[in-house]
Amino acid sequence: MALKILNTCINCDMCEPECPNEAITLGAEIYEINSDSCTECVGHYDAPTCVNVCPIDSVKPDENHRETHSQLLNKFINLYNMIE
């Protein structure tokens, strides 16, 4: 599933530069994750980097965007036009 940033975000700027899919942007008040671009770093890393770098544990699974590992991998493939 895609990830989301909770309202507890302190805008520390740690997550946005770490996202390989450029799915994280600064919203009106806090950073936000675009669920269409978030692959939980599948295709890039073993674990989501935004989760690893968040100093206050403010990045959580988005229950409204549940996806399997296969779906996340397919999203990665489509994002990077890796279809044969």
Side-chain angles (χ1 to χ4, degrees), residues 15-72:
C15 60
E16 187 266 337
E18 295 296 326
C19 182
N21 297 318
E22 298 179 357
I24 301 174
T25 57
L26 184 57
E29 295 183 26
I30 61 171
Y31 279 93
E32 299 173 348
I33 298 176
N34 178 342
S35 60
D36 292 334
S37 301
C38 178
T39 64
E40 292 188 42
C41 291
V42 169
H44 294 283
Y45 305 113
D46 292 334
T49 58
C50 58
V51 172
N52 291 335
V53 299
C54 182
I56 60 166
D57 196 30
S58 191
V59 182
K60 299 292 181 187
D62 186 347
E63 296 296 329
N64 294 320
H65 294 97
R66 299 180 72 71
E67 297 168 294
T68 64
H69 186 273
S70 294
Q71 290 171 314
L72 292 169

